[in-house]
Short mmCIF file of all heavy atoms in Angstrom, two decimals:
data_model
loop_
_atom_site.label_atom_id
_atom_site.label_comp_id
_atom_site.label_asym_id
_atom_site.label_seq_id
_atom_site.Cartn_x
_atom_site.Cartn_y
_atom_site.Cartn_z
N ALA B 84 -4.83 43.78 6.43
CA ALA B 84 -3.74 44.72 6.13
C ALA B 84 -2.42 44.21 6.71
O ALA B 84 -1.37 44.29 6.05
CB ALA B 84 -4.08 46.10 6.69
N ILE B 85 -2.46 43.67 7.91
CA ILE B 85 -1.23 43.16 8.54
C ILE B 85 -0.70 41.96 7.74
O ILE B 85 0.50 41.85 7.47
CB ILE B 85 -1.47 42.80 10.02
CG1 ILE B 85 -1.74 44.09 10.82
CG2 ILE B 85 -0.30 42.01 10.61
CD1 ILE B 85 -2.24 43.87 12.23
N ALA B 86 -1.60 41.07 7.34
CA ALA B 86 -1.17 39.89 6.57
C ALA B 86 -0.56 40.31 5.24
O ALA B 86 0.47 39.78 4.83
CB ALA B 86 -2.35 38.95 6.36
N LEU B 87 -1.18 41.27 4.58
CA LEU B 87 -0.67 41.68 3.26
C LEU B 87 0.69 42.37 3.40
O LEU B 87 1.54 42.26 2.52
CB LEU B 87 -1.68 42.61 2.56
CG LEU B 87 -3.00 41.93 2.16
CD1 LEU B 87 -3.97 42.94 1.55
CD2 LEU B 87 -2.77 40.77 1.19
N ARG B 88 0.88 43.04 4.53
CA ARG B 88 2.18 43.70 4.80
C ARG B 88 3.25 42.65 5.15
O ARG B 88 4.37 42.72 4.70
CB ARG B 88 1.98 44.66 5.96
CG ARG B 88 2.92 45.81 5.99
CD ARG B 88 2.49 46.92 6.92
NE ARG B 88 2.18 46.54 8.27
CZ ARG B 88 1.03 46.80 8.89
NH1 ARG B 88 0.06 47.42 8.25
NH2 ARG B 88 0.82 46.43 10.13
N THR B 89 2.85 41.67 5.96
CA THR B 89 3.82 40.70 6.51
C THR B 89 4.14 39.59 5.51
O THR B 89 5.23 39.03 5.52
CB THR B 89 3.27 40.07 7.81
OG1 THR B 89 2.81 41.12 8.66
CG2 THR B 89 4.31 39.25 8.52
N ARG B 90 3.16 39.23 4.70
CA ARG B 90 3.30 38.12 3.74
C ARG B 90 3.77 36.82 4.40
O ARG B 90 4.84 36.28 4.05
CB ARG B 90 4.27 38.47 2.62
CG ARG B 90 3.93 39.77 1.96
CD ARG B 90 3.55 39.56 0.54
NE ARG B 90 2.85 40.78 0.10
CZ ARG B 90 2.31 40.92 -1.08
NH1 ARG B 90 2.34 39.94 -1.94
NH2 ARG B 90 1.69 42.01 -1.41
N PRO B 91 2.99 36.29 5.34
CA PRO B 91 3.33 34.96 5.88
C PRO B 91 3.13 33.92 4.79
O PRO B 91 2.45 34.18 3.79
CB PRO B 91 2.31 34.77 7.00
CG PRO B 91 1.12 35.57 6.55
CD PRO B 91 1.69 36.76 5.82
N HIS B 92 3.69 32.74 4.99
CA HIS B 92 3.47 31.66 4.03
C HIS B 92 1.97 31.34 3.94
O HIS B 92 1.45 31.10 2.85
CB HIS B 92 4.25 30.42 4.50
CG HIS B 92 3.88 29.17 3.78
ND1 HIS B 92 4.34 28.88 2.52
CD2 HIS B 92 3.07 28.14 4.14
CE1 HIS B 92 3.83 27.72 2.13
NE2 HIS B 92 3.06 27.25 3.08
N ALA B 93 1.32 31.29 5.11
CA ALA B 93 -0.10 30.90 5.15
C ALA B 93 -0.86 31.78 6.12
O ALA B 93 -0.27 32.35 7.05
CB ALA B 93 -0.21 29.44 5.59
N ALA B 94 -2.17 31.88 5.89
CA ALA B 94 -3.04 32.58 6.83
C ALA B 94 -4.22 31.68 7.10
O ALA B 94 -4.85 31.17 6.17
CB ALA B 94 -3.52 33.91 6.25
N CYS B 95 -4.49 31.45 8.38
CA CYS B 95 -5.64 30.61 8.77
C CYS B 95 -6.69 31.54 9.34
O CYS B 95 -6.46 32.20 10.37
CB CYS B 95 -5.17 29.58 9.81
SG CYS B 95 -6.51 28.51 10.35
N LEU B 96 -7.84 31.60 8.68
CA LEU B 96 -8.91 32.48 9.15
C LEU B 96 -9.70 31.78 10.25
O LEU B 96 -10.19 30.66 10.07
CB LEU B 96 -9.83 32.85 7.99
CG LEU B 96 -9.16 33.62 6.85
CD1 LEU B 96 -10.17 33.93 5.74
CD2 LEU B 96 -8.53 34.91 7.35
N VAL B 97 -9.78 32.46 11.39
CA VAL B 97 -10.44 31.88 12.57
C VAL B 97 -11.50 32.86 13.07
O VAL B 97 -11.38 34.07 12.87
CB VAL B 97 -9.43 31.59 13.70
CG1 VAL B 97 -8.35 30.62 13.23
CG2 VAL B 97 -8.78 32.86 14.24
N PRO B 98 -12.54 32.33 13.73
CA PRO B 98 -13.51 33.24 14.34
C PRO B 98 -12.90 33.80 15.62
O PRO B 98 -12.03 33.16 16.21
CB PRO B 98 -14.70 32.33 14.66
CG PRO B 98 -14.09 30.99 14.86
CD PRO B 98 -12.86 30.92 14.00
N GLU B 99 -13.31 34.96 16.03
CA GLU B 99 -12.75 35.53 17.25
C GLU B 99 -13.82 36.28 18.02
O GLU B 99 -14.51 37.12 17.45
CB GLU B 99 -11.65 36.52 16.86
CG GLU B 99 -10.47 36.48 17.79
CD GLU B 99 -9.37 37.41 17.32
OE1 GLU B 99 -8.55 36.99 16.47
OE2 GLU B 99 -9.34 38.54 17.79
N ARG B 100 -13.94 35.95 19.27
CA ARG B 100 -14.81 36.72 20.15
C ARG B 100 -13.97 37.15 21.33
O ARG B 100 -13.21 36.37 21.89
CB ARG B 100 -16.00 35.86 20.65
CG ARG B 100 -17.06 35.64 19.60
CD ARG B 100 -18.24 34.88 20.17
NE ARG B 100 -17.85 33.53 20.57
CZ ARG B 100 -17.76 32.49 19.74
NH1 ARG B 100 -18.05 32.64 18.48
NH2 ARG B 100 -17.39 31.31 20.18
N ARG B 101 -14.10 38.41 21.72
CA ARG B 101 -13.23 38.94 22.77
C ARG B 101 -13.33 38.16 24.07
O ARG B 101 -12.34 37.99 24.78
CB ARG B 101 -13.63 40.40 23.08
CG ARG B 101 -12.80 41.38 22.32
CD ARG B 101 -13.35 42.76 22.49
NE ARG B 101 -12.76 43.63 21.49
CZ ARG B 101 -11.70 44.39 21.72
NH1 ARG B 101 -11.13 44.40 22.88
NH2 ARG B 101 -11.21 45.14 20.77
N ALA B 102 -14.54 37.68 24.41
CA ALA B 102 -14.72 37.06 25.71
C ALA B 102 -14.24 35.61 25.77
O ALA B 102 -14.13 35.05 26.85
CB ALA B 102 -16.20 37.13 26.10
N GLU B 103 -13.92 35.00 24.63
CA GLU B 103 -13.56 33.58 24.68
C GLU B 103 -12.15 33.40 25.23
O GLU B 103 -11.28 34.25 25.07
CB GLU B 103 -13.68 32.96 23.28
CG GLU B 103 -12.64 33.44 22.30
CD GLU B 103 -12.87 32.97 20.86
OE1 GLU B 103 -13.83 32.24 20.60
OE2 GLU B 103 -12.05 33.35 20.00
N ARG B 104 -11.94 32.24 25.88
CA ARG B 104 -10.61 31.94 26.41
C ARG B 104 -9.66 31.50 25.31
O ARG B 104 -8.48 31.72 25.36
CB ARG B 104 -10.71 30.85 27.48
CG ARG B 104 -10.62 31.44 28.87
CD ARG B 104 -10.48 30.37 29.90
NE ARG B 104 -11.67 29.55 29.95
CZ ARG B 104 -11.79 28.50 30.75
NH1 ARG B 104 -10.80 28.16 31.53
NH2 ARG B 104 -12.90 27.80 30.76
N THR B 105 -10.20 30.78 24.34
CA THR B 105 -9.43 30.34 23.18
C THR B 105 -10.41 30.30 22.01
O THR B 105 -11.57 30.64 22.18
CB THR B 105 -8.77 28.97 23.44
OG1 THR B 105 -8.06 28.56 22.28
CG2 THR B 105 -9.79 27.90 23.80
N THR B 106 -9.95 29.87 20.83
CA THR B 106 -10.87 29.84 19.68
C THR B 106 -11.86 28.70 19.89
O THR B 106 -11.51 27.54 19.73
CB THR B 106 -10.06 29.65 18.38
OG1 THR B 106 -8.96 30.56 18.41
CG2 THR B 106 -10.90 29.91 17.16
N GLU B 107 -13.10 29.05 20.27
CA GLU B 107 -14.01 28.02 20.77
C GLU B 107 -14.74 27.25 19.68
O GLU B 107 -15.05 26.09 19.86
CB GLU B 107 -15.00 28.66 21.76
CG GLU B 107 -14.34 28.81 23.12
CD GLU B 107 -15.04 29.80 24.03
OE1 GLU B 107 -16.15 30.25 23.66
OE2 GLU B 107 -14.48 30.11 25.08
N GLY B 108 -15.06 27.87 18.60
CA GLY B 108 -15.77 27.14 17.55
C GLY B 108 -15.12 27.41 16.22
O GLY B 108 -14.20 28.23 16.12
N GLY B 109 -15.58 26.72 15.19
CA GLY B 109 -15.03 26.97 13.86
C GLY B 109 -15.70 28.19 13.23
O GLY B 109 -16.68 28.73 13.74
N LEU B 110 -15.14 28.61 12.11
CA LEU B 110 -15.75 29.68 11.32
C LEU B 110 -17.08 29.20 10.77
O LEU B 110 -17.19 28.03 10.38
CB LEU B 110 -14.89 29.97 10.11
CG LEU B 110 -13.82 31.03 10.09
CD1 LEU B 110 -13.25 31.07 8.67
CD2 LEU B 110 -14.34 32.38 10.50
N ASP B 111 -18.05 30.10 10.64
CA ASP B 111 -19.27 29.74 9.92
C ASP B 111 -19.08 30.20 8.47
O ASP B 111 -19.55 31.26 8.07
CB ASP B 111 -20.49 30.39 10.58
CG ASP B 111 -21.78 29.80 10.04
OD1 ASP B 111 -21.73 29.12 8.98
OD2 ASP B 111 -22.84 30.00 10.66
N ALA B 112 -18.34 29.37 7.72
CA ALA B 112 -17.99 29.74 6.35
C ALA B 112 -19.22 29.78 5.46
O ALA B 112 -19.27 30.52 4.48
CB ALA B 112 -16.97 28.74 5.79
N ALA B 113 -20.22 28.97 5.83
CA ALA B 113 -21.44 28.94 5.02
C ALA B 113 -22.21 30.25 5.18
O ALA B 113 -22.60 30.88 4.19
CB ALA B 113 -22.30 27.74 5.44
N ALA B 114 -22.40 30.70 6.43
CA ALA B 114 -23.19 31.92 6.66
C ALA B 114 -22.42 33.18 6.31
O ALA B 114 -23.02 34.20 5.98
CB ALA B 114 -23.64 31.97 8.12
N GLN B 115 -21.08 33.13 6.39
CA GLN B 115 -20.29 34.36 6.20
C GLN B 115 -19.64 34.43 4.82
O GLN B 115 -18.63 35.12 4.65
CB GLN B 115 -19.20 34.43 7.27
CG GLN B 115 -19.75 34.60 8.66
CD GLN B 115 -18.63 34.63 9.68
OE1 GLN B 115 -17.74 33.79 9.66
NE2 GLN B 115 -18.67 35.60 10.55
N HIS B 116 -20.25 33.74 3.88
CA HIS B 116 -19.64 33.65 2.55
C HIS B 116 -19.26 35.03 2.00
O HIS B 116 -18.13 35.24 1.55
CB HIS B 116 -20.60 32.93 1.60
CG HIS B 116 -20.02 32.68 0.24
ND1 HIS B 116 -19.92 33.67 -0.72
CD2 HIS B 116 -19.47 31.58 -0.31
CE1 HIS B 116 -19.34 33.18 -1.80
NE2 HIS B 116 -19.06 31.92 -1.58
N ASN B 117 -20.18 35.98 2.07
CA ASN B 117 -19.93 37.28 1.42
C ASN B 117 -18.85 38.08 2.14
O ASN B 117 -18.12 38.85 1.51
CB ASN B 117 -21.23 38.09 1.33
CG ASN B 117 -22.21 37.42 0.38
OD1 ASN B 117 -21.83 36.50 -0.35
ND2 ASN B 117 -23.46 37.85 0.43
N GLN B 118 -18.74 37.90 3.45
CA GLN B 118 -17.71 38.60 4.21
C GLN B 118 -16.33 37.97 3.96
O GLN B 118 -15.31 38.66 3.88
CB GLN B 118 -18.08 38.51 5.70
CG GLN B 118 -17.19 39.32 6.62
CD GLN B 118 -17.36 38.87 8.06
OE1 GLN B 118 -18.41 38.34 8.45
NE2 GLN B 118 -16.32 39.06 8.85
N LEU B 119 -16.33 36.63 3.84
CA LEU B 119 -15.05 35.93 3.70
C LEU B 119 -14.49 35.97 2.28
O LEU B 119 -13.26 36.01 2.10
CB LEU B 119 -15.21 34.46 4.13
CG LEU B 119 -15.48 34.23 5.62
CD1 LEU B 119 -15.88 32.78 5.86
CD2 LEU B 119 -14.26 34.60 6.45
N ALA B 120 -15.38 35.99 1.30
CA ALA B 120 -14.93 35.84 -0.10
C ALA B 120 -13.84 36.85 -0.48
O ALA B 120 -12.80 36.47 -1.03
CB ALA B 120 -16.12 35.91 -1.05
N PRO B 121 -14.04 38.19 -0.21
CA PRO B 121 -12.99 39.12 -0.64
C PRO B 121 -11.68 38.93 0.12
O PRO B 121 -10.60 39.15 -0.44
CB PRO B 121 -13.60 40.51 -0.37
CG PRO B 121 -14.75 40.28 0.56
CD PRO B 121 -15.21 38.87 0.35
N ILE B 122 -11.77 38.50 1.37
CA ILE B 122 -10.54 38.32 2.17
C ILE B 122 -9.77 37.10 1.67
O ILE B 122 -8.55 37.15 1.48
CB ILE B 122 -10.91 38.23 3.67
CG1 ILE B 122 -11.51 39.58 4.07
CG2 ILE B 122 -9.70 37.86 4.52
CD1 ILE B 122 -11.76 39.79 5.52
N VAL B 123 -10.49 36.01 1.40
CA VAL B 123 -9.83 34.81 0.85
C VAL B 123 -9.18 35.18 -0.49
O VAL B 123 -8.02 34.81 -0.76
CB VAL B 123 -10.86 33.67 0.67
CG1 VAL B 123 -10.25 32.50 -0.09
CG2 VAL B 123 -11.39 33.21 2.03
N ALA B 124 -9.90 35.93 -1.30
CA ALA B 124 -9.38 36.27 -2.63
C ALA B 124 -8.14 37.17 -2.54
O ALA B 124 -7.15 36.95 -3.24
CB ALA B 124 -10.47 36.97 -3.45
N ARG B 125 -8.18 38.16 -1.64
CA ARG B 125 -7.03 39.10 -1.56
C ARG B 125 -5.80 38.41 -0.97
O ARG B 125 -4.68 38.66 -1.42
CB ARG B 125 -7.41 40.33 -0.75
CG ARG B 125 -8.39 41.21 -1.55
CD ARG B 125 -8.57 42.55 -0.94
NE ARG B 125 -7.33 43.33 -0.92
CZ ARG B 125 -7.22 44.47 -0.24
NH1 ARG B 125 -8.24 44.93 0.46
NH2 ARG B 125 -6.07 45.14 -0.27
N LEU B 126 -6.00 37.56 0.01
CA LEU B 126 -4.84 36.82 0.56
C LEU B 126 -4.26 35.90 -0.51
O LEU B 126 -3.04 35.84 -0.69
CB LEU B 126 -5.27 36.02 1.79
CG LEU B 126 -5.62 36.84 3.05
CD1 LEU B 126 -6.30 35.95 4.08
CD2 LEU B 126 -4.38 37.50 3.65
N GLY B 127 -5.14 35.22 -1.20
CA GLY B 127 -4.68 34.28 -2.24
C GLY B 127 -3.94 35.01 -3.35
O GLY B 127 -2.89 34.56 -3.82
N ALA B 128 -4.45 36.18 -3.74
CA ALA B 128 -3.80 36.95 -4.82
C ALA B 128 -2.41 37.42 -4.39
O ALA B 128 -1.54 37.64 -5.24
CB ALA B 128 -4.67 38.14 -5.21
N ALA B 129 -2.21 37.57 -3.07
CA ALA B 129 -0.89 38.00 -2.56
C ALA B 129 0.05 36.80 -2.39
O ALA B 129 1.16 36.96 -1.88
CB ALA B 129 -1.08 38.73 -1.24
N GLY B 130 -0.40 35.62 -2.79
CA GLY B 130 0.47 34.44 -2.70
C GLY B 130 0.46 33.80 -1.32
O GLY B 130 1.34 32.98 -1.01
N ILE B 131 -0.51 34.17 -0.49
CA ILE B 131 -0.60 33.60 0.87
C ILE B 131 -1.59 32.43 0.81
O ILE B 131 -2.69 32.57 0.29
CB ILE B 131 -1.08 34.68 1.87
CG1 ILE B 131 -0.09 35.85 1.90
CG2 ILE B 131 -1.28 34.08 3.26
CD1 ILE B 131 -0.60 37.09 2.61
N ARG B 132 -1.17 31.30 1.34
CA ARG B 132 -2.01 30.10 1.29
C ARG B 132 -3.09 30.21 2.37
O ARG B 132 -2.78 30.24 3.56
CB ARG B 132 -1.12 28.89 1.52
CG ARG B 132 -1.65 27.65 0.91
CD ARG B 132 -0.59 26.65 0.61
NE ARG B 132 -1.21 25.34 0.46
CZ ARG B 132 -1.89 24.98 -0.63
NH1 ARG B 132 -2.00 25.80 -1.64
NH2 ARG B 132 -2.44 23.78 -0.70
N VAL B 133 -4.34 30.25 1.95
CA VAL B 133 -5.42 30.52 2.91
C VAL B 133 -6.04 29.22 3.41
O VAL B 133 -6.38 28.34 2.61
CB VAL B 133 -6.55 31.36 2.26
CG1 VAL B 133 -7.62 31.70 3.29
CG2 VAL B 133 -5.99 32.61 1.62
N SER B 134 -6.20 29.14 4.72
CA SER B 134 -6.98 28.02 5.24
C SER B 134 -8.11 28.56 6.08
O SER B 134 -8.03 29.66 6.66
CB SER B 134 -6.09 27.04 6.01
OG SER B 134 -5.92 27.43 7.33
N LEU B 135 -9.20 27.80 6.14
CA LEU B 135 -10.36 28.17 6.95
C LEU B 135 -10.49 27.18 8.09
O LEU B 135 -10.51 25.96 7.86
CB LEU B 135 -11.64 28.14 6.10
CG LEU B 135 -11.67 29.04 4.86
CD1 LEU B 135 -13.06 28.96 4.20
CD2 LEU B 135 -11.36 30.49 5.20
N PHE B 136 -10.57 27.69 9.30
CA PHE B 136 -10.66 26.85 10.50
C PHE B 136 -12.14 26.55 10.73
O PHE B 136 -12.90 27.43 11.15
CB PHE B 136 -10.06 27.61 11.68
CG PHE B 136 -9.92 26.84 12.95
CD1 PHE B 136 -9.38 25.58 12.97
CD2 PHE B 136 -10.31 27.41 14.16
CE1 PHE B 136 -9.22 24.88 14.17
CE2 PHE B 136 -10.14 26.73 15.36
CZ PHE B 136 -9.60 25.47 15.36
N ILE B 137 -12.54 25.31 10.41
CA ILE B 137 -13.97 24.99 10.44
C ILE B 137 -14.22 23.65 11.14
O ILE B 137 -13.33 22.80 11.23
CB ILE B 137 -14.57 24.92 9.00
CG1 ILE B 137 -13.81 23.92 8.14
CG2 ILE B 137 -14.63 26.29 8.36
CD1 ILE B 137 -14.43 23.70 6.76
N ALA B 138 -15.45 23.50 11.61
CA ALA B 138 -15.87 22.22 12.16
C ALA B 138 -15.97 21.21 11.02
O ALA B 138 -16.18 21.60 9.86
CB ALA B 138 -17.23 22.38 12.84
N PRO B 139 -15.82 19.92 11.33
CA PRO B 139 -15.90 18.91 10.26
C PRO B 139 -17.35 18.63 9.85
O PRO B 139 -17.85 17.52 10.01
CB PRO B 139 -15.22 17.68 10.89
CG PRO B 139 -15.42 17.85 12.36
CD PRO B 139 -15.45 19.33 12.63
N ASP B 140 -18.02 19.66 9.34
CA ASP B 140 -19.41 19.53 8.88
C ASP B 140 -19.45 19.68 7.37
O ASP B 140 -18.80 20.59 6.83
CB ASP B 140 -20.28 20.65 9.47
CG ASP B 140 -20.45 20.52 10.97
OD1 ASP B 140 -20.30 19.39 11.48
OD2 ASP B 140 -20.71 21.55 11.61
#
Side-chain angles (χ1 to χ4, degrees):
I85 292 170
L87 293 177
R88 207 165 52 235
T89 311
R90 308 244 163 184
H92 167 79
C95 180
L96 298 180
V97 301
E99 218 176 275
R100 285 184 296 277
R101 265 171 195 265
E103 69 188 359
R104 258 190 295 178
T105 178
T106 313
E107 280 162 8
L110 267 184
D111 192 345
Q115 294 179 312
H116 185 282
N117 293 348
Q118 186 197 334
L119 293 169
I122 295 189
V123 171
R125 288 192 63 191
L126 290 168
I131 299 167
R132 206 155 161 76
V133 184
S134 85
L135 302 184
F136 187 47
I137 56 174
D140 292 337

